[in-house]
Structures are given as C-alpha cells and as structure tokens.
C-alpha cells in the first residue's frame, strides 16, 4: 500500500466549553448514561462511556456565533406502569450560549426542540432544581420524589436569578427569583444544597445563598480582596456542594475554600493553583475534590485521617496543554472517572477513586466520523469544517514521486487546492459526499441540502475546476440532512433526515459530461423494519434515540444499500429491475404511499415514470442479520460483486454474495453476507478472541476502513491494521510475550495454539494501571506462620452499593469468561454455523499493524495514474492533524515558566 502522509488539510477542533453527565451516580438499574460535550463552534457531542470504551455516538451541529457555554441534563423521575414495570426517567438536555436564551435539544432528530428567553441579561450559569430529596438518615429508598414543580435556575450577567419552568415536557420563562444587591454583580456559578437552597458564586468577592421558595437571601460568604493579583474583586468561578452539606469554591486567586454548610463560615483555605481555578467536581460520597485551573493543573484533594479531618492536596498533574476550563465526574456501573476539557479541545479521562494508581487517558479531539472523502478516479480529496468545503488534488502517484529525480521539490508540489466552497447560512455542515469520478458534490446542513456539478475547465485536466449548482426540490432540501452518501455509479444520493428518515434521490446523467446532471424531484422513501422494542423502554430514558442512523454504505455495484443505527440494527435494501407494465400502461405493483408495512415487499415510492423506472425493495433476509452487540463505528462493503443472486451455501464453497463488514465499539468485527442474512465462513472461524492482542487491547475505536481485494485496512486515531480474509488468523498464545519496541507488528498464519483468556474489569474507565510511580500499593502479600504466602488483589472492579448482592457472581463471570463467550444472536449463529478452518499453504501475513501515524483524521483511497506500466497497488491519502499544528489561543504562563 502506497501512503501519502498529509498534514495540510485544514481542520481545527473547537475548544471545549462545558461537560455534563446525564447522571453523576448510577447503577445498572439506572437509565442510560451519556456524556455531553459542548464546544465553542456550537457543536454538542454525545458520548457513551461503554465501560471505558468512550464512543462518540452523534454530533449535533451548531452554527455561526452559536457557542455552547453551558450544558445541563435533566432526568425525569421514574414511573411505574400498571403491570409493575419500571419506566426509566426521560433524559432531557438543555444548553445556553452567553445569551438570554435557553435551548432544549431533540436528541432523536439532532435539532433544537424548545427555546425560551426572558427579559434579563445574558446567562452565565444554569442549574436544575433537584427532583429527588433523600431523607435525613440517607436511605435512598425513602427519598421524596417531586413529579411537578420542576425548575431551571439561571444566573445572569446583570445579577439576577431567573426561573424557567420545565414541567410537562415544555420550557417556559417564569419569573425573576432574586436580584443581587449591586448592579455590577455577575452570577458566574451555581450549585444546589438540597432542593430549596441555591448557592451562587459572583464576581464581587462573595458567594450568595438564596431560598428557592421565596427568593430571600440566607447568607453572604465574603472572599476578601485580591491585592496580590492586582485587582480588588475576587471572582468565584465555580462552586460545589458536598454530600454532607459543606460548600466548596474555587476563585480567581487560585485558592480552594471549604465552607461550613450550617453556619456558612469559612472552614479551610488551600492555595491550590498559581492562577484562577476554573472548574470543580466532587465524588459522590464527598470524600474527594478535583479542581482544574488556568495553570493547566488538575489537582486532587482528600481528607486527612484523624479527628481534625482537614483537607489536603494529594497530588496534581498537567494533563492538558491549555486551561482546564470544565470538568464533570461519574461513578457507577464499574466506572469512577473525571472528564475534563478546555481550549486544547481534547477530553481527558482521569480516574477518581483510583487517582494516582491508574493512568489518565486523552480521548481524541477529532470526530469519530472522518470529515474526509475522495473522488478516487479524479484523485480529488474533499474535507469540510464548519461551513466550508475544501477540494484538493494529488496529481502524481507515489510511484512517480519515488522515481522522480527532483526529490522533495516534487513532493512539495504534489498538492493543489482547487476550490473552497462556502455554504450560505448560519448552520454548520453535517455531512458531505463526492462521487467517484468527482463530478457530483452534495453538502448538507441541518436546514439545507445543496448539490454541485464539478468539471475541469479545459474538459480533461483537473487542474482548474468549474463549479455549478444543481437544483434540488425545495421541500426535500429545506429539511436538511444529518448524513449524505453518493452511490459508486453516481446515480443515487442517500439522505438521512431527522436522524431516522431515509430518502434516495435519482441522479440523471447526461450523455455529455460537460453538462450538469439533473436530480429527479420525486424522492424514493425507504422504511426500516419495525423492531420489537418494549414500550416501557421506548418511552423512557433516551426514547427513540438509539434508532438514530449513524452509518450508511452502498455496495460496489450500487445495487444494495445498508444502514445501521446506534442500537446495532442493520437494514438493507436491494435495487430491483423496472416493474413490468400491464396492457393499459399501469404498474402491476402496489403503490407504497398506500401501504405502510415494514416488510420487504414495498418500501419506497415509485421512481421516475419512464424507461428508467426502478424500485428499491427491502432485502427479504434483513431480519436474519444479527443485531450487533454495541453501536457500530464502521459499516462498509468489500470490492467483491456477486455474479449471481440467490446462491446457497455448501459445506466447502463460500456463497457468491456481497460481503458487509461491521465494526462495533465493544470491539467486535464481523463479516456478513447481507443477501443471505448470515455470517461469512471467515467470520465464524475468526472470532474476536482470535484477533492479535495488538488489536484487542487498543483503546481507541475503529473509525474507518479501506478495502483492497481480500484485504481490509482498519484505522483509528492512533493505529492502522490490516486483515487478510484469504487466510485465518492464528490462535493467540497462552503466555504473555514481551511487547515489541518497534511501531509495526506482523503476524503470519502459523500453527494454532490454545487461546488465552483476558482479564476484564481491572480499571475504572480511564487508563491502564500504573506500573511505576503509582501513589497506592501495587501488591500486598499476606504471610501466615507455617503456611504459604498469599497475594491479595488491591485493584478489584468498582462495585456499586446497591449491587453488592450480585458482586460475587459478577466477579466470577469476569474472571472466567473469555472473549468468544458472547451472548446474543451472534453466539447462536456461530454455534450453529461453525466450520473448521481449511488448510492453507500461504505464508503471507494474515495481520499487520502500525502505530506511527497519529492522530489520524481520516484515510481515503486514490486510483493510480493510468499510464499502462504501473501495477495495481492500493494508494491512499492519510491525513493527520496533530495538536501542535492546530491554532490555540494564548495560554497562561506562571512566573519563570516562559523562560524555561
């Protein structure tokens, strides 16, 4: 494979302004857990922790001057149905952007659901009034639940506390609760101490405490004057309330202050940072405090043992390259982590309870779905960022550059920016796609869909482009799209609207390539299979969010379309021949508009009523395709085109069918024959437990794939893997080998050895356990007189308090289960369709990987220049976007740090 290593494609990740978990504490019986990340570009990312896998499921795109500066999740109280089933509380997401407007987001459609504003200043902080109030004895089973009177409390720039009513699924501005005594006071942070007491940090060297019931001021906690910093007033950037009722604040002097929750007096003061403390979070039990500051430090505090119970800083680390602007904590379901972010745009996951024992982990600042595509026949590369699409071209193949005698001068000139397309409007681009010949470009936002015709000005060479707009039906374009995809033959455009609605647009090409094509005004609407989801699950939690389509792929001959959603369901459609006409000229099929059935007989509207009339029908074996165990990250077809349809499997031959690959966030790599609805023979023989440890142990998820005959290349943020499907993978060895010092690993198909079992649940959702320099014990050995020494485990999995009765069975399962003991439809298929591996005499590598490219924005294929002398070698463009090449704002330097 020839690789063009590219770093000039523009893409700057936007700074992180806010973080919020849907629930700070949860158990396995709780509803779904999600992490929302708000960025300065207005984008909101929805992440699923997935027991430490951290999958970026969707991105709700923002727009021009629509920064997200605060996020708040609201979890509605649980409900019990008449038959005794529990409905999880509905999750609602609210945001603000330093304006007087509060927005509620529709996660299913990826667009705003409600907006409300009042006669007050810009909002600087937002909090939700607690619905569940525990009793004084701490028994959660006796907690009082409020089903009405749900409020949002916002602190404004003009010193007002305002209320927003969110009852009955709405969002309405209600009234001003209280006003600060001074007009110069700004409400910059907020926290709740119980249901009726709200604590507000201000910009006037004080923290105010109000009663929610009548708006009266209960207390005023003064911070003094910042004489050393050159300013008189101290800003309380963040406040939090501990489990016992005490209050924690971080201010512009870099001091962490502990306040007594009963007398509202200062109990302790710690000099934690050399500059402003910008963010705070606490553990659920109130025993740990984590702070982040402008000096890039993340500090951890715990109470010292003894009767004094004073707080002390345990350690601090510089995990970010810039300010630590925001952080949020989560505990439960085996996780105990703190996620932080700031202007460096990189989310960092840090262990909470095991801080100092486990490493931190930096998540990717780049999107899970690469904003990159190629027109491989024309050697064009498109990339999009915010509201702009860039079109690049690589005129020379890698073999031509190697043979050229001019060396680096030719390599530097092997790129040309042909055009930049700026999309009108304020909404950011959600998706873009280009045809393989480079003649058609489709760009979508949340409010519009645009199509363009690209052609070379001289008619042959692609050195200069002529771009013209293609008219689309206004009703279709006005709805926007979350995803666009052009078929390989350029005759179909797939649009995903409102998260789950599928449309196909027919592109009519002209005989002369210089004339722009036309798009038929009548779209083909496809319906997915109605899955049997219990109603009590569909109406609670995230609702139908799991049915959001995130991936789509066309077969290489453009006659099959496959889509996948977050829940793991795969739906496929087949392009049928034009229907026969009756003697009176009418179609002998039933119109789809009159039928809403979800079977495969009729799933789309009629196409153009001429000789090119075709129909997309649902694959009759779609229901046989197994449900994936987790949300998919990659869905793609191989290059193989079946010669016949309806071929049946035999004991020795592989069926002649498409090969559809699905990679999930577990991880899980399966290959499917979609027409037959069954796994391929290679996938049945090579389960995930058989994959090399380099693939199974990597934490970054797969984000894309490239096919080359029987080989498939999988890539993530920091790695590039190759799988050869013409031979089986060897069985993993039983003994752990020393890791290789190089960056490349190749595994040949040798004799199989017994599989080794993996031990799971060893970390708390961040990084691996520290080997050297940890702050806690790594080994405890118990010696008994006259007996053998016994090593005790000190890093067992984190258990929830409400799940202690299940801990014994859970630990046993984690210790004994291997990766191939997976429950579900795939396990049943593997059990009934397993075959022995056929003997193979090939000795070429069955697996290859490298870790020298990072961070990878995306990889796209290119066709080699056709001169009749070059061999057919896979050629790709690998785009990297390292953090040091991104534009970051100026950061704070401590005394003497700049000189060092």
């Amino acid at each position: 494979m020839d690789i063009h290593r590219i770093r000039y494609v523009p893409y700057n990740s936007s700074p992180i302004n806010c973080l919020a978990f849907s629930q700070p504490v949860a158990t396995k019986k709780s509803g779904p857990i999600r992490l929302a990340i708000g960025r300065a570009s207005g984008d909101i990312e929805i992440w699923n922790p997935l027991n430490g896998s951290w999958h970026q499921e969707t991105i709700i795109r923002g727009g021009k001057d629509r920064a997200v500066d605060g996020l708040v999740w609201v979890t509605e109280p649980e409900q019990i149905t008449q038959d005794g089933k529990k409905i999880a509380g509905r999750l609602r997401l609210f945001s603000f952007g330093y304006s007087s407007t509060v927005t509620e987001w529709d996660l299913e459609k990826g667009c705003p659901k409600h907006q409300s504003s009042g006669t007050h200043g810009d909002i600087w902080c937002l909090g939700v009034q607690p619905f569940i109030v525990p009793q004084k004895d701490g028994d959660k089973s006796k907690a009082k639940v409020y089903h009405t009177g749900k409020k949002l409390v916002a602190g404004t720039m003009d010193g007002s506390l305002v209320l927003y009513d969110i009852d009955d699924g709405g969002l309405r501005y209600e009234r001003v609760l209280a006003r600060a005594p001074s007009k110069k006071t700004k409400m910059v942070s907020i926290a709740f101490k119980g249901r009726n007491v709200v604590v507000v940090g201000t910009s006037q060297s004080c923290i105010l405490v109000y009663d929610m019931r009548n708006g009266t001021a209960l207390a005023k906690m003064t911070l003094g004057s910042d004489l050393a910093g050159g300013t008189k007033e101290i800003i309380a950037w963040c406040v939090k309330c501990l489990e016992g009722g005490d209050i924690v604040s971080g201010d512009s002097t870099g001091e962490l202050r502990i306040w007594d929750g009963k007398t509202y007096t200062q109990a302790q003061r710690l000099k934690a940072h050399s500059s402003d403390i910008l963010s705070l979070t606490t553990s659920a039990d109130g025993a740990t405090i984590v702070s982040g500051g402008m000096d890039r430090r993340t500090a951890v505090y715990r109470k010292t043992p003894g009767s004094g119970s004073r707080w002390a800083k345990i350690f601090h680390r510089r995990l970010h390259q810039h300010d630590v602007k925001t952080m949020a904590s989560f505990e439960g379901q085996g996780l105990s982590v703190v996620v932080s972010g700031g202007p460096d745009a990189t989310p960092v996951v840090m262990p909470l309870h095991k801080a100092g024992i486990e490493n931190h982990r930096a998540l990717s600042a780049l999107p899970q779905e690469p904003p990159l595509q190629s027109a491989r026949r024309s050697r064009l590369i498109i990339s999009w960022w915010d509201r702009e699409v860039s079109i690049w071209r690589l005129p020379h193949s890698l073999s031509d550059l190697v043979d050229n005698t001019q060396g680096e001068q030719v390599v530097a000139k092997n790129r040309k920016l042909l055009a930049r397309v700026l999309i009108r409007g304020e909404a950011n681009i959600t998706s873009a796609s280009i045809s393989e010949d480079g003649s058609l470009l489709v760009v979508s936002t949340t409010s519009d869909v645009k199509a363009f015709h690209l052609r070379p000005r001289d008619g042959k060479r692609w050195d200069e482009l002529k771009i013209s707009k293609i008219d689309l039906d206004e009703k279709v374009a006005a709805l926007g799209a979350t995803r666009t995809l052009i078929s390989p033959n350029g005759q179909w455009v797939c649009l995903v609207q409102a998260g789950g609605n599928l449309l196909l647009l027919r592109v009519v090409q002209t005989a002369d390539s210089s004339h722009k094509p036309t798009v038929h005004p009548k779209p083909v609407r496809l319906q997915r299979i109605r899955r049997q989801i219990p109603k009590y699950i569909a109406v609670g939690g995230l609702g139908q969010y799991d049915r959001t389509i995130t991936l789509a792929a066309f077969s290489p001959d453009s006659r099959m379309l496959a889509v996948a959603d977050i829940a793991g369901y795969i739906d496929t459609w087949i392009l049928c021949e034009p229907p026969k006409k009756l003697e009176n000229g009418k179609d002998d099929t039933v119109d789809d508009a009159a039928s809403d059935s979800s079977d495969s007989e009729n799933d789309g509207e009629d196409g153009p009523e001429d000789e090119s009339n075709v129909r997309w029908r649902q694959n009759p074996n779609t229901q046989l395709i197994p449900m994936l165990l987790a949300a998919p990250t990659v869905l793609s077809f191989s290059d193989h085109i079946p010669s016949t349809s309806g071929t049946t499997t035999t004991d020795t031959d592989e069926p002649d069918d498409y090969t559809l690959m699905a990679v999930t966030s577990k991880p899980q790599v399966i290959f499917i024959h979609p027409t037959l609805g069954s796994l391929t023979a290679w996938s049945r023989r090579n389960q995930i437990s058989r994959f090399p440890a380099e693939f199974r142990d990597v934490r970054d998820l797969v984000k894309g794939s490239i096919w080359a005959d029987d080989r498939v290349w999988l890539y993530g943020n920091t790695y590039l893997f190759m799988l050869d499907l013409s031979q089986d993978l060897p069985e993993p060895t039983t003994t752990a080998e020393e890791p290789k010092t190089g960056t490349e690993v190749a595994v040949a198909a040798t004799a199989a050895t017994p599989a080794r079992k993996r031990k799971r649940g060893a970390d708390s959702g961040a990084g691996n356990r520290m080997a050297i320099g940890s702050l806690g014990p790594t080994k405890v050995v118990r010696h008994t007189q006259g007996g053998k020494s016994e090593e005790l485990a000190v890093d067992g999995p984190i258990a929830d308090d409400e799940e202690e009765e299940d801990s014994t069975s859970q630990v046993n399962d984690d210790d004994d289960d291997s990766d191939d003991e997976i429950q579900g439809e795939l396990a049943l298929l593997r059990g009934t369709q397993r075959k022995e591996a056929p003997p193979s005499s090939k000795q070429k590598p069955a697996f290859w990987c490298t870790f020298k490219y990072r961070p990878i924005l995306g990889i796209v294929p290119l066709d080699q220049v056709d001169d009749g002398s070059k061999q057919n070698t896979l050629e790709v463009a690998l785009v990297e976007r390292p953090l040091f090449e991104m534009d970051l704002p100026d950061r704070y330097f401590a005394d003497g740090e700049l000189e060092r």
Side-chain angles (χ1 to χ4, degrees):
M1 182 172 69
D2 296 338
I3 299 177
H4 295 267
R5 195 171 184 176
I6 296 174
R7 287 187 176 180
Y8 52 78
V9 173
Y11 187 89
N12 282 349
S13 298
S14 182
I16 296 176
N17 286 344
C18 50
L19 294 164
F21 277 100
S22 57
Q23 299 180 47
V25 181
T27 65
K28 288 189 175 180
K29 300 178 182 179
S30 303
I33 305 300
R34 294 296 185 273
L35 169 67
I37 298 179
R39 296 188 180 266
S41 61
D43 295 348
I44 299 178
E45 302 173 1
I46 307 299
W47 291 71
N48 189 346
L50 278 178
N51 295 326
S53 296
W54 297 102
H55 176 213
Q56 185 190 88
E57 293 180 336
T58 58
I59 300 179
I60 303 176
R61 295 296 179 181
K64 182 181 180 181
D65 300 329
R66 299 181 187 175
V68 177
D69 295 293
L71 289 169
V72 171
W73 287 93
V74 174
T75 304
E76 300 281 352
E78 296 179 348
Q79 297 181 0
I80 306 297
T81 60
Q82 295 180 354
D83 55 357
K85 293 183 179 180
K86 181 181 296 184
I87 301 178
R90 188 83 176 196
L91 291 179
R92 303 170 64 185
L93 181 61
F94 297 86
S95 72
F96 67 92
Y98 287 157
S99 65
S100 59
T101 303
V102 178
T103 303
E104 180 181 3
W105 295 92
D106 190 334
L107 300 182
E108 300 175 8
K109 298 181 180 180
C111 62
K113 186 176 183 180
H114 297 110
Q115 286 184 333
S116 180
S117 60
T119 56
H120 52 75
D122 294 346
I123 298 175
W124 274 39
C125 56
L126 187 67
V128 56
Q129 187 179 20
F131 306 150
I132 302 176
V133 180
Q135 298 299 318
K136 295 183 179 180
D137 56 359
D139 189 359
K140 296 182 179 181
S141 61
K142 300 179 181 179
K144 186 176 182 179
V145 180
Y146 293 85
H147 294 275
T148 58
K150 297 185 283 290
K151 309 291 182 184
L152 290 179
V153 183
T156 65
M157 187 176 181
D158 57 2
S160 301
L161 276 182
V162 296
L163 298 181
Y164 283 86
D165 185 12
I166 57 174
D167 275 339
D168 302 327
L171 175 61
R172 294 173 294 274
Y173 168 73
E174 187 172 296
R175 62 186 175 90
V176 175
L177 176 65
R179 295 186 185 275
S182 174
K183 294 183 179 180
K184 297 181 180 180
T185 302
K186 299 178 178 63
M187 308 290 193
V188 297
S189 56
I190 192 170
F192 275 87
K193 182 177 175 290
R195 174 174 171 80
N196 298 319
V197 178
V198 57
V199 182
V200 183
T202 70
S203 61
Q204 295 295 311
S205 300
C206 65
I207 299 173
L208 303 178
V209 183
Y210 289 97
D211 191 331
M212 279 282 297
R213 292 166 290 190
N214 49 28
T216 58
L218 300 178
K220 179 181 179 181
M221 300 177 287
T222 59
L223 302 176
S225 300
D226 183 15
L227 300 179
T231 179
K232 188 175 182 180
E233 304 297 340
I234 297 177
I235 305 175
W237 287 118
C238 43
V239 292
K240 291 289 181 180
C241 294
L242 297 176
E243 179 69 18
D246 291 345
I247 301 171
V248 186
S249 67
D251 53 49
S252 56
T253 63
E255 291 185 346
L256 183 78
R257 302 173 188 247
I258 314 296
W259 306 85
D260 189 289
K262 297 180 180 179
T263 61
Y264 299 111
T265 57
Q266 182 175 292
Q268 190 177 353
R269 182 172 64 178
L270 298 171
K271 184 60 178 178
H273 297 262
S274 60
S275 186
D276 300 42
I277 296 180
L278 302 179
S279 55
L280 275 178
T281 190
T282 62
S283 61
D285 57 1
T288 304
I289 301 174
V290 183
S291 66
M294 193 180 292
D295 56 357
R296 299 181 294 153
R297 291 181 179 179
T298 301
V300 179
Y301 315 84
R302 290 199 176 108
K303 280 189 176 183
T304 58
S307 59
S309 68
R310 303 281 291 177
W311 288 88
K313 185 169 73 171
I314 305 301
F315 71 93
H316 70 264
R317 295 285 187 272
R318 285 184 174 174
L319 308 179
H320 288 270
Q321 301 296 322
H322 214 285
D323 305 347
V324 186
K325 187 176 182 180
T326 178
M327 60 175 52
S329 62
F330 173 75
E331 298 176 67
Q333 299 184 358
L335 300 179
S336 178
V337 295
V338 174
V339 183
S340 58
D344 61 357
T346 303
V348 173
V349 184
M350 169 187 166
L352 181 56
H353 282 300
K354 294 187 178 181
I357 299 178
E358 292 181 356
N359 292 303
H360 72 281
R361 176 187 175 189
L363 303 180
S364 175
L366 304 176
Q368 174 67 31
E369 178 189 359
L372 203 70
Q373 277 203 9
S374 68
R376 56 189 308 168
R377 300 177 192 172
S378 305
R379 299 181 64 83
L380 299 179
I381 300 175
I382 66 168
S383 64
W384 56 94
W385 174 43
D386 286 348
R387 296 174 303 282
E388 184 179 278
V389 180
S390 301
I391 305 176
W392 301 79
R393 186 170 189 269
L394 274 66
H396 304 291
S397 63
L398 190 63
S399 56
D400 294 338
L401 298 177
V402 173
D403 298 338
N404 199 295
T405 58
Q406 297 184 5
E408 295 183 358
Q409 297 180 358
V410 180
V411 175
K413 295 180 179 179
N414 189 33
R415 69 188 189 200
K416 187 172 184 180
L417 178 61
L418 300 182
R420 287 179 177 174
V421 181
L422 183 62
I423 305 301
R424 291 182 179 179
E426 297 184 352
N428 291 344
I429 296 174
T430 57
S431 180
S433 182
I434 189 171
S435 58
E436 289 194 354
D437 59 357
S439 62
L440 179 62
L441 172 66
V442 179
V443 183
S444 66
T445 65
T446 55
S447 59
D448 199 3
V449 179
K450 296 183 182 295
F452 303 92
H453 179 233
L454 312 181
R455 65 182 180 90
R457 287 189 178 273
D458 57 1
K460 295 181 181 179
R461 300 182 62 185
W462 288 86
D463 294 336
E464 294 185 2
L465 283 182
K466 184 176 181 181
I467 303 176
S468 57
K469 186 178 179 181
I470 300 176
D471 295 331
L472 298 177
D473 183 58
E474 295 182 359
K475 295 182 179 179
V476 175
L479 296 177
T482 58
R483 176 173 298 275
T484 62
L485 184 65
I486 301 177
S487 62
N489 60 8
Q491 297 182 5
W492 296 95
V493 177
C494 176
L495 300 179
V496 180
Q497 295 181 335
N501 298 329
L502 276 173
L503 294 181
L504 284 178
L505 303 179
R506 180 69 182 269
V507 181
V508 181
Q509 302 285 350
T510 59
D512 189 357
S513 60
S514 62
H515 293 81
K516 64 180 181 180
T518 59
V519 178
H520 197 275
K522 191 175 182 181
V524 180
R525 302 184 183 274
L526 303 181
Q527 294 182 359
R528 292 188 288 167
I529 293 179
R530 295 176 181 173
R531 308 292 180 174
Q532 299 298 327
I533 302 177
K535 187 176 181 180
Y536 70 93
I537 296 179
V539 299
L542 292 170
Q544 297 292 333
Y545 166 77
D546 286 346
R547 297 289 285 148
T548 301
I549 297 175
T550 56
L551 299 173
F554 276 102
S555 62
D557 59 356
S558 304
R559 300 190 64 85
M560 175 173 281
L561 171 65
V563 299
D565 56 23
I566 298 176
Y569 293 109
I570 298 177
D571 292 270
T572 57
W573 293 267
I574 301 174
L575 181 64
C576 301
E577 297 295 333
K580 299 180 181 179
K581 300 290 184 178
L582 299 178
E583 294 181 358
N584 57 2
K586 295 183 178 180
D587 195 348
D588 61 347
T589 60
V590 181
D591 187 13
D592 283 325
S595 174
D596 59 351
S597 63
S598 60
D599 56 15
S600 61
E601 294 182 358
N602 207 350
D603 294 296
E605 294 181 357
D606 292 340
E609 296 183 1
D610 51 17
E611 66 275 7
S612 62
N613 189 10
V614 293
R615 281 181 177 272
W616 285 87
R617 297 182 181 276
Q618 201 167 68
N619 177 17
N621 291 327
T622 294
Q623 292 184 338
L624 299 179
I625 298 177
M627 177 183 174
L628 304 178
L629 297 178
T633 60
V634 174
L635 186 73
S636 66
F637 282 92
S638 68
D639 298 333
H640 174 69
I641 300 176
S643 57
T644 59
S645 59
T647 309
T648 58
T649 58
T650 62
D651 294 338
T652 57
D653 298 330
E654 184 77 12
D656 189 12
D657 190 13
Y658 300 107
T659 299
L660 178 64
M661 181 188 66
V663 184
T664 68
S665 53
K666 274 298 187 182
Q668 176 191 29
V669 182
I670 63 171
F671 298 87
I672 304 170
H673 288 313
T675 306
L676 304 175
S678 63
L679 299 178
T680 64
W682 190 95
S683 187
R684 294 193 297 267
R685 295 191 302 265
N686 298 269
Q687 303 172 25
I688 191 64
S689 60
R690 197 165 180 171
F691 280 56
E694 291 81 8
F695 181 83
R696 290 182 288 111
D697 294 341
V698 72
R699 290 181 177 266
D700 292 332
L701 303 181
V702 180
K703 61 191 302 184
S705 64
I706 303 293
W707 285 88
D709 298 328
D710 290 333
R711 290 187 173 185
V712 57
W713 303 79
L714 306 176
Y715 66 91
N717 185 53
T718 58
Y719 57 83
L720 176 62
F721 291 145
M722 185 275 294
L723 292 175
D724 190 349
L725 304 185
S726 63
Q727 54 183 321
D728 289 336
L729 296 172
E731 291 284 352
T733 58
T734 55
T735 59
E737 299 179 357
E738 293 294 330
K740 296 180 180 293
T741 57
T743 58
E744 298 182 1
V745 179
V747 180
T750 57
T753 56
R756 68 178 174 89
K757 297 182 179 180
R758 295 176 58 199
K759 200 171 183 179
R760 300 180 234 170
D763 56 60
S764 60
N768 292 321
R769 181 183 176 84
M770 290 183 181
I772 301 176
S774 61
L775 299 181
T778 57
K779 182 189 294 186
V780 176
V781 180
R782 180 170 61 187
H783 301 276
T784 57
Q785 186 175 4
K788 296 182 179 179
S789 300
E790 180 183 3
E791 181 178 346
L792 302 180
V794 296
D795 59 346
I798 298 174
D800 298 322
D801 294 338
E802 299 181 7
E803 299 167 4
E804 293 181 355
E805 65 275 6
D806 300 331
S807 60
T808 304
S809 60
Q810 183 179 353
V811 171
N812 292 336
D813 293 340
D814 289 343
D815 291 341
D816 297 336
D817 288 349
S818 59
D819 286 323
D820 55 354
E821 295 173 354
I822 301 175
Q823 302 300 323
E825 299 178 51
L826 292 177
L828 298 177
L829 281 176
R830 288 191 172 110
T832 56
Q833 301 175 353
R834 183 184 298 272
K835 293 183 179 180
E836 295 297 329
S840 174
S841 60
K842 299 179 181 179
Q843 292 300 320
K844 59 182 180 180
F847 172 84
W848 177 89
C849 69
T850 180
F851 298 89
K852 68 180 181 180
Y853 305 108
R854 60 179 61 194
I856 299 176
L857 178 65
I859 303 178
V860 292
L862 300 172
D863 284 351
Q864 290 193 346
V865 180
D866 188 10
D867 57 0
S869 60
K870 302 293 188 300
Q871 296 181 355
N872 187 17
T873 304
L874 176 63
E875 185 177 0
V876 299
L878 188 151
V879 181
E880 295 175 302
R881 289 301 295 166
L883 183 62
F884 59 82
E885 291 191 359
M886 296 184 184
D887 296 330
L888 296 179
D890 295 336
R891 67 174 180 86
Y892 166 81
F893 288 94
D895 296 338
E897 184 180 357
L898 186 61
E899 288 76 7
R900 293 197 302 268

